[in-house]
Amino acid sequence: MRLSSGNICKSKCNILFMTKQHMRLVFPISKCFKLSKHGARRFKITCSWNQGSNHFCVADRAVVGLRDRWMEFQGIKNWEGLLDPLDDDLRKEILRYGEFVEAAYRCFDFDMSSPTYATCLYPKSSMLSDCGLDKTGYKVVKNLCATCVVQMPRWTKKMFPNLASPRSSWFGYVAICDDEKEIARLGRRDIVIAYRGTATSSEWLENLRATLTCLPDDMTTFDENYDQPMVQSGLLNLYTTNTQCDQSLQDTIREEISKILDKYNDEPLSITITGHSLGAALATLTACDITTKFSNAPIVSVVSFGGPRVGNKSFRCLLEKNNTNILRIVNSDDPITKVPGFVIDDDIDDMAESHVASTGMPSWLQKCMEDTQWVYAEVGKELRLSSNDLCQQIINKGNVAMCHDLKTYLYLLDNFVKVDHKREKPIEKSGWPSD
C-alpha cells in the first residue's frame, strides 16, 4: 500500500480521515498527507458491506436468519462461536452499528470558527439522511449533549484562539427503528444510542483525568462480596455533569429510555449502545447506568470501537451481574485501547488472548496497587483485529492516529476472518492492497 499523496488504492467507497485541525491535540499528522479543499483526506478501500453505492442501505441487504438469531448477535450467549471465525451476519450487524457512529461524526460541527461549533449540523428530523445514512429504517428521537467539568484556562483564548472550547457539546443521538420491514428483518424493535469520539479541547482534558473514582450510589448496587465499583473520573464527570442551562447526559438518557420502555413495553425490544474512542467508553458507562436504573430493561448491548479502559474489576463485576453484553472491537496497533492505567487480573483464563498482564503477585501487594486508583480491568468480550501490514506503513509515515480512526476499524472488520492461533494474528479475508 502506498501512503503518499493522492489515491492509495482503487476502490468503490471512500474513507474520510480526521484532519489536522481535529487531531493535532494528540497525534502529529504526517506532512506528506495532502488535504482536500474540504479539509479531509480521502482514503479509498474495497468494502464489501457498502459496494456499488455511496450510501448505506439496510433494506438492500437482507440477512437470512437474522430475526431468529438476533439475541445471539446481541450477546445473550456472550458471542460464543461467533467471533473465531467471525460470523458473516454478525460482521454485517457490527458494521451497521459502526455506520451509526460514523453518522455521529458527520453530524458534528468541527469548524472552530463557526458560530455553531460543537453542535449538530442537521435538524433531528432529517439528521440521518442529511449525513448520508439513508434508508436505515431508524428515526432520531433525541440529541445527546455532554458537559465538561474542566474548561480551558482564560489565558489560552488569547494565546491559542483555536483551542477555545464550549463547556457543553453535542455528542450523539438516540434513534429508534420505526420501519415495519426493518423491524421484521431484525426480529425486534431496536433502539440505538450512538456516540462520537473526543473532539473539543475540554474533552481532551477530561480524558487526562484518568484516576479511578467511585460510581455514585444511584449507578450501582450494593454487594458485600465486592469492593466499590470505580470508573475513570473524567468519563464520569462528562456523563453526570449538568449546568443551569444544560441537562446532564445521564439525565437525558434516563428520561428518554423511560419514555421508550413505557411506549414499547408490549413488543420485543433491544437497546444497542455504540461508540468510538471516548464514545466507546461512554457507551459502556451508559449501559451500566441503564441496566442498573431500569429493572425492566430489555437486552442491553454495547458494540464499541477503539475504546479506552473504563473501570476497575468491581465495575466489571457490576456489568456482569446486570447481564450487560459488551463486545469490544480492538485494533492491536491502536494505543488508545491500552490506556488509561494498567491491568492486573488473575481471573482471566487465557492471558495471551486477552492481552492482560498477570504477575501472580501477593494479594496484599495487589491491594496496595489498586489503592493507587490506577488499576483498571478489561470488560466484556473482545474481538481483536490486527492491522500489522496497514498500520505499520502508516506508523512509518508518522501518522499513528490513523490506527485509531473509525474507518480503519471498519475496514479491518470487513476483512477479518479468524485468528491463526499458530501465528497469533488475524487472517484477512482478501488481503491488504498491494503496492
Side-chain angles (χ1 to χ4, degrees):
M1 181 176 291
R2 193 167 281 114
L3 293 179
S4 56
S5 60
N7 293 337
I8 291 183
C9 59
K10 295 182 179 180
S11 174
K12 297 182 180 179
C13 71
N14 292 331
I15 281 188
L16 293 178
F17 282 104
M18 303 292 284
T19 67
K20 290 183 179 180
Q21 179 185 23
H22 305 155
M23 300 301 297
R24 64 187 171 197
L25 295 175
V26 177
F27 298 110
I29 305 297
S30 174
K31 294 182 179 180
C32 71
F33 294 137
K34 292 184 177 180
L35 301 179
S36 71
K37 64 181 179 180
H38 300 292
R41 181 175 180 279
R42 293 193 176 272
F43 178 52
K44 295 187 176 182
I45 61 172
T46 300
C47 187
S48 63
W49 50 273
N50 195 22
Q51 287 187 353
S53 173
N54 291 326
H55 301 292
F56 176 80
C57 181
V58 173
D60 294 339
R61 196 189 61 235
V63 178
V64 178
L66 175 58
R67 62 178 301 160
D68 299 322
R69 303 177 63 196
W70 71 267
M71 288 189 178
E72 291 182 58
F73 293 160
Q74 292 298 112
I76 195 69
K77 298 180 180 179
N78 202 29
W79 293 279
E80 291 297 334
L82 297 176
L83 302 181
D84 189 12
L86 181 59
D87 184 276
D88 279 338
D89 290 342
L90 175 60
R91 182 202 313 275
K92 293 173 184 176
E93 284 298 284
I94 297 173
L95 289 170
R96 186 170 69 91
Y97 288 120
E99 281 289 338
F100 283 113
V101 181
E102 178 65 18
Y105 278 112
R106 295 178 199 149
C107 290
F108 185 78
D109 187 354
F110 283 98
D111 186 358
M112 294 182 181
S113 63
S114 169
T116 59
Y117 171 54
T119 66
C120 185
L121 291 168
Y122 309 112
K124 184 174 64 176
S125 59
S126 61
M127 183 188 302
L128 295 181
S129 59
D130 287 344
C131 72
L133 202 62
D134 294 336
K135 301 179 182 179
T136 63
Y138 288 70
K139 67 174 181 180
V140 176
V141 296
K142 195 69 176 180
N143 283 304
L144 300 175
C145 295
T147 300
C148 297
V149 172
V150 180
Q151 290 184 283
M152 298 297 295
R154 292 182 179 179
W155 59 267
T156 61
K157 295 181 179 180
K158 294 183 179 180
M159 296 186 63
F160 308 101
N162 287 337
L163 291 181
S165 178
R167 189 174 180 188
S168 296
S169 56
W170 185 86
F171 239 96
Y173 57 90
V174 180
I176 297 178
C177 184
D178 68 340
D179 180 79
E180 293 301 325
K181 290 184 178 179
E182 183 64 3
I183 292 173
R185 188 187 76 88
L186 295 175
R188 86 284 187 190
R189 187 185 298 273
D190 186 37
I191 289 85
V192 167
I193 301 174
Y195 292 122
R196 62 165 174 83
T198 309
T200 71
S201 303
S202 295
E203 291 162 13
W204 286 117
L205 292 179
E206 291 287 15
N207 287 338
L208 297 177
R209 295 161 59 89
T211 55
L212 291 165
T213 188
C214 293
L215 279 177
D217 292 339
D218 65 344
M219 288 186 67
T220 185
T221 55
F222 175 75
D223 193 328
E224 60 183 9
N225 297 319
Y226 298 102
D227 295 329
Q228 178 73 24
M230 304 177 77
V231 296
Q232 193 244 12
S233 56
L235 177 68
L236 183 62
N237 289 334
L238 196 63
Y239 187 66
T240 59
T241 299
N242 56 21
T243 66
Q244 292 181 345
C245 302
D246 301 300
Q247 187 180 45
S248 71
L249 176 58
Q250 179 186 48
D251 290 340
T252 305
I253 289 290
R254 288 183 172 185
E255 287 183 8
E256 195 60 31
I257 293 300
S258 180
K259 293 177 184 178
I260 290 171
L261 295 182
D262 288 343
K263 184 174 182 179
Y264 301 109
N265 61 358
D266 60 343
E267 59 182 279
L269 200 65
S270 66
I271 299 176
T272 309
I273 313 170
T274 184
H276 170 250
S277 192
L278 174 59
L282 274 175
T284 302
L285 189 60
T286 301
C288 177
D289 191 28
I290 292 175
T291 54
T292 302
K293 181 67 176 179
F294 299 95
S295 58
N296 61 332
I299 294 179
V300 177
S301 304
V302 174
V303 178
S304 70
F305 302 88
R309 295 166 184 151
V310 178
N312 65 355
K313 188 186 297 185
S314 294
F315 176 69
R316 181 179 67 196
C317 293
L318 176 62
L319 292 169
E320 294 171 350
K321 179 182 176 182
N322 292 342
N323 297 315
T324 309
N325 309 313
I326 300 175
L327 181 60
R328 293 184 299 115
I329 318 300
V330 173
N331 177 6
S332 59
D333 298 293
D334 181 2
I336 300 301
T337 62
K338 301 175 177 63
V339 295
F342 53 94
V343 173
I344 303 173
D345 202 329
D346 294 317
D347 295 335
I348 304 298
D349 294 331
D350 192 341
M351 295 297 172
E353 289 189 12
S354 65
H355 298 264
V356 175
S358 175
T359 61
M361 64 178 61
S363 58
W364 65 269
L365 180 56
Q366 181 169 325
K367 182 67 169 73
C368 290
M369 296 183 70
E370 290 173 351
D371 289 342
T372 65
Q373 298 182 348
W374 281 95
V375 178
Y376 283 72
E378 307 290 7
V379 300
K381 190 77 170 183
E382 180 183 276
L383 174 58
R384 181 165 289 267
L385 310 173
S386 177
S387 57
N388 290 336
D389 296 334
L390 174 64
C391 277
Q392 189 57 50
Q393 297 178 61
I394 294 175
I395 292 171
N396 290 340
K397 293 293 184 179
N399 198 348
V400 182
M402 286 189 182
C403 294
H404 180 61
D405 193 278
L406 176 61
K407 284 297 188 182
T408 302
Y409 270 83
L410 298 184
Y411 174 77
L412 295 173
L413 184 65
D414 191 47
N415 287 274
F416 178 85
V417 177
K418 63 180 180 178
V419 174
D420 184 341
H421 294 287
K422 293 182 180 179
R423 295 184 296 169
E424 295 185 351
K425 64 178 292 187
I427 300 173
E428 290 77 36
K429 188 167 58 179
S430 57
W432 299 112
S434 59
D435 287 338

